[in-house]
Amino acid sequence: MDYLFAERMSKTPRSFIREILKVTEHPDIISFAGGLPNPSVFPVEELAQVSKDVITDEGAAALQYATTEGYYPLREWVANRYNSRYGLSVTPEEILITHGSQQSLDLCGKVFIDKGTPVGIEEPGYLGAIQAFSMFEPQFHPIKLESDGPVLNDVQRCMEVDSCKIVYGVPNSQNPSGITWSDTKRKEIAKIISEYDRVFIEDDAYGEIRFRDEYYQPVKKSIPDHVVMNGSFSKIITPGMRMGWICAPEKVMTQLVTAKQATDLHSSILAQRIIYRYLSEYPIDSYIKKITDTYRSQCDCMVKAIRQEFPDSVSYTVPDGGMFLWITLPEGYNSLDIFNKALEEKVAVLPGIPFYTDGGGINTLRLNFTNSSCDQIEEGVRRLSRVLS
Amino acid sequence: MDYLFAERMSKTPRSFIREILKVTEHPDIISFAGGLPNPSVFPVEELAQVSKDVITDEGAAALQYATTEGYYPLREWVANRYNSRYGLSVTPEEILITHGSQQSLDLCGKVFIDKGTPVGIEEPGYLGAIQAFSMFEPQFHPIKLESDGPVLNDVQRCMEVDSCKIVYGVPNSQNPSGITWSDTKRKEIAKIISEYDRVFIEDDAYGEIRFRDEYYQPVKKSIPDHVVMNGSFSKIITPGMRMGWICAPEKVMTQLVTAKQATDLHSSILAQRIIYRYLSEYPIDSYIKKITDTYRSQCDCMVKAIRQEFPDSVSYTVPDGGMFLWITLPEGYNSLDIFNKALEEKVAVLPGIPFYTDGGGINTLRLNFTNSSCDQIEEGVRRLSRVLS
């Protein structure tokens, strides 16, 4: 039979990454294509014990229906973390626990985006956000990224010419580019957003994964009422439980809670209690240090190998956090060709095209460094350099 | 600041149930207002052990990102269950694991509903579906329920006059009415749906919770290509992990997977593995028997008490499964008044109004029987009868 699907389905790209990963899963392929955290640092034993303890000690309360907003002690933990780390003044009531950052984006889409709503997004932009928002059929307006963050003229144009209602961005170690917005850029953008009285969706998935001992204040610090901030336990504990959160001003939170009820009632109360207990019983800062130490050394390996192996005509970002590095090939190169040729050399890369909402990015690639050993990274970069030259 | 929210937010009712539950949570109130499974039958010890074993034995695989479609062995279990219990011919590829039935409805909304799409829904209809679908701004067309299921003329009208693209219903022990569709009605409705080549969303959340040893074939059995079926582990294991599924024909599944990716990437792989392991290690049929035995005796208590206590002018359904019983008061009664007066008598009921998409149902109530002891049920019904007379 012919099914009559909703219009949005023809506008939402099926994840190119997830399709590509099926091709690159063979064990003899060195893959820089995915975006997986390094499983060697997962706190497996700790989580096994904590899971059993939570169900044994808390019984039915850990298994029954629960409140839409989330488990209060966990909301409190998130608020406290923001306040101590970023100097924000957030209350637990401003935190909603979600089934991961991707769901936070879905809920933001529901609350803010009508068909045709103008939305500003970084270029290249986070694919998950492009997908989540596409479900609500916005009009995307790209804001070009340069080495210290968004091009300010593009942000200004987005407000003035395109009338963007919301702007989405990832100021810390952006996915896919690895770029971190400078302090100056953050303040300038906060000024523009508040001047036009718009909403900034500040995705801080990588805010805890910093390679140097420094970080900048989030945009939310300057204009708290104008910012909805998303965070995730995927990068600092594990992603498989799908646990994240949204931090939003009260009036926005009321709408988000209605959307969350309609979407899946509430987030897994078992997962929330497991994570809270883990955070209470183990020192999260030293665990995060272990993750950042590991990722920093993997990133250093990749940067070093690229510096040695790649032709000078290829440019690349040097991330100070996160999981990705961004490659720009000379004009005329097609990253889909590179993808195919690299696969013949048994190394997988991710073409940058799906990160562009306007069909650009043909000569760009995203490389992930967290899921390969230093040896694999060196070998993979060598193979890739053969393809490039 | 004034936030510019999406139009859908003004059309989606915030859950009346969840708001009401906040009022009815005091321990001295006997509550028939909620919809919680009975926690006394939760397999707490078994799940505690299984959770630890899954993480210990399966390690990072239970904690890492996973496939959108779901954990294959669990999809296989669901398909096999359908095939052995209902005589369907479903493959694991036709199963998508979701974060609970509510999410299954959200995904169906995304895939099928544009703004203004005509959708047929039972009256009274399941509130969760009304909420989930409202996010996509459909035009609801009510299909009245009678004692053996939907009024056929209404289904016919829904196709012919209203051009409904999809019809949603709960043939087994419907929430809120407790009504089970007869075999004849199922076949008649299947005939109409396939004649007009439309899609039926068959919500089978209560299909395993049957009080007699009999059940009817689902509508999907007659017209598999026209039916998307939703199921849930909430009622047969526990609801707190938010685990359910959608069973859909291949062409629909492709769209549902795209929508699921955009919504939250995938369902918790830890929860999926815990549930699969629990199903593998423990005899689920004898556990389900324990649940149905408990609920049957609670339901019998309530029916008996109502028969003894309520005025003859009040009519009620006698469910043969599920968790709810439906009360129709004489014309002129207002269930919101009854709700308030009952609360003074320390018994909580749920007014039926939010289950109507056209503002009707003013003289109806939903009573839940699964979360009170027989003594509480008898006492609660006595209190309620004082309010009614």
Side-chain angles (χ1 to χ4, degrees), chain B residues 48-250:
Chain B
Q49 188 57 48
V50 159
S51 300
K52 184 175 183 179
D53 292 348
V54 162
I55 303 181
T56 305
D57 300 348
E58 303 172 32
L63 300 167
Q64 184 60 286
Y65 284 114
T67 59
T68 301
E69 292 82 354
Y71 184 50
Y72 197 83
L74 187 61
R75 297 163 72 202
E76 210 164 27
W77 185 92
V78 172
N80 289 342
R81 184 87 182 169
Y82 274 145
N83 298 342
S84 62
R85 182 171 169 85
Y86 286 147
L88 302 180
S89 312
V90 169
T91 65
E93 284 69 23
E94 290 170 278
I95 307 294
L96 167 70
I97 306 295
T98 64
H99 275 131
S101 248
Q102 186 69 26
Q103 184 178 64
S104 301
L105 296 169
D106 176 65
L107 298 176
C108 287
K110 282 181 170 132
V111 165
F112 288 112
I113 304 177
D114 284 312
K115 188 172 183 169
T117 294
V119 171
I121 188 163
E122 292 161 305
E123 180 171 279
Y126 173 49
L127 180 57
I130 296 173
Q131 283 188 293
F133 294 165
S134 289
M135 280 276 143
F136 307 100
E137 305 171 83
Q139 183 65 46
F140 285 118
H141 294 281
I143 295 170
K144 280 218 159 47
L145 275 180
E146 50 194 355
S147 60
D148 65 343
V151 173
L152 291 179
N153 276 345
D154 280 15
V155 182
Q156 187 73 35
R157 185 215 71 227
C158 201
M159 302 287 104
E160 208 172 302
V161 181
D162 307 327
S163 306
C164 286
K165 208 172 103 177
I166 58 173
V167 172
Y168 169 84
V170 188
N172 289 319
S173 319
Q174 195 237 14
N175 179 357
S177 72
I179 287 169
T180 292
W181 299 10
S182 69
D183 197 44
T184 318
K185 278 272 164 92
R186 289 167 195 242
K187 293 197 169 113
E188 288 292 336
I189 287 167
K191 223 170 99 185
I192 301 172
I193 298 272
S194 75
E195 199 178 300
Y196 285 87
D197 218 17
R198 305 296 159 78
V199 168
F200 177 53
I201 298 181
E202 183 166 24
D203 192 335
D204 197 35
Y206 304 100
E208 298 269 6
I209 310 298
R210 306 293 300 160
F211 300 158
R212 330 278 163 234
D213 260 347
E214 52 172 39
Y215 50 85
Y216 306 118
Q217 301 290 356
V219 176
K220 188 168 180 75
K221 172 84 178 166
S222 323
I223 49 167
D225 283 352
H226 292 78
V227 174
V228 173
M229 212 163 157
N230 292 342
S232 169
F233 291 110
S234 292
K235 309 301 185 284
I236 61 169
I237 301 182
T238 65
M241 281 186 263
R242 313 301 306 117
M243 281 281 116
W245 66 83
I246 310 184
C247 171
E250 193 192 333

Side-chain angles (χ1 to χ4, degrees), chain B residues 332-342 387:
Chain B
Y333 275 69
N334 183 330
S335 58
L336 289 171
D337 291 343
I338 301 289
F339 168 76
N340 286 317
K341 285 178 187 155
V387 173

Side-chain angles (χ1 to χ4, degrees), chain B residues 5-54:
Chain B
F5 297 118
E7 261 185 74
R8 71 176 61 81
M9 297 313 298
S10 61
K11 296 173 185 166
T12 303
R14 197 168 157 119
S15 171
F16 188 64
I17 299 186
R18 297 200 144 234
E19 298 309 307
I20 243 178
L21 288 182
K22 291 178 185 166
V23 189
T24 63
E25 264 175 358
H26 298 97
D28 57 341
I29 289 179
I30 295 175
S31 179
F32 304 142
L36 302 181
N38 192 326
S40 74
V41 295
F42 287 176
V44 174
E45 275 173 50
E46 294 88 336
L47 289 173
Q49 188 57 48
V50 159
S51 300
K52 184 175 183 179
D53 292 348
V54 162

Side-chain angles (χ1 to χ4, degrees), chain A residues 14 54 138 226 287 309 314 346 368 376:
Chain A
R14 198 168 157 118
V54 162
H226 292 79
Y287 178 57
E309 303 287 342
V314 173
K346 300 202 184 304
N368 166 263
Q376 287 171 320

Side-chain angles (χ1 to χ4, degrees), chain A residues 121-125 130 134 140-143 353-360:
Chain A
I121 188 161
E122 293 160 304
E123 179 170 282
I130 296 173
S134 290
F140 285 118
H141 294 280
I143 295 170
I353 302 157
F355 299 97
Y356 285 71
T357 54
D358 60 0

Side-chain angles (χ1 to χ4, degrees), chain A residues 3-4 6-8 15 18 49 52 63 65 68 102 106 110-111 113-114 165 225 235 240 261-262, chain B residues 3-4 6-8 15 18 49 52 63 65 68 102 106 110-111 113-114 165 225 235 240 261-262:
Chain A
Y3 299 96
L4 302 166
E7 262 185 73
R8 72 176 61 79
S15 171
R18 298 200 144 236
Q49 189 57 46
K52 185 174 183 182
L63 302 167
Y65 284 114
T68 301
Q102 186 69 25
D106 175 66
K110 281 180 171 134
V111 164
I113 304 175
D114 285 311
K165 210 172 102 178
D225 284 351
K235 309 301 184 284
Q261 282 177 354
Chain B
Y3 299 97
L4 303 167
E7 261 185 74
R8 71 176 61 81
S15 171
R18 297 200 144 234
Q49 188 57 48
K52 184 175 183 179
L63 300 167
Y65 284 114
T68 301
Q102 186 69 26
D106 176 65
K110 282 181 170 132
V111 165
I113 304 177
D114 284 312
K165 208 172 103 177
D225 283 352
K235 309 301 185 284
Q261 281 177 355

Side-chain angles (χ1 to χ4, degrees), chain A residues 77 81 208-210 236 283-293:
Chain A
W77 185 93
R81 184 88 182 168
E208 298 269 6
I209 310 297
R210 306 292 302 159
I236 60 169
I284 187 69
D285 287 312
S286 61
Y287 178 57
I288 292 176
K289 185 171 183 314
K290 190 172 151 192
I291 300 173
T292 51
D293 284 350

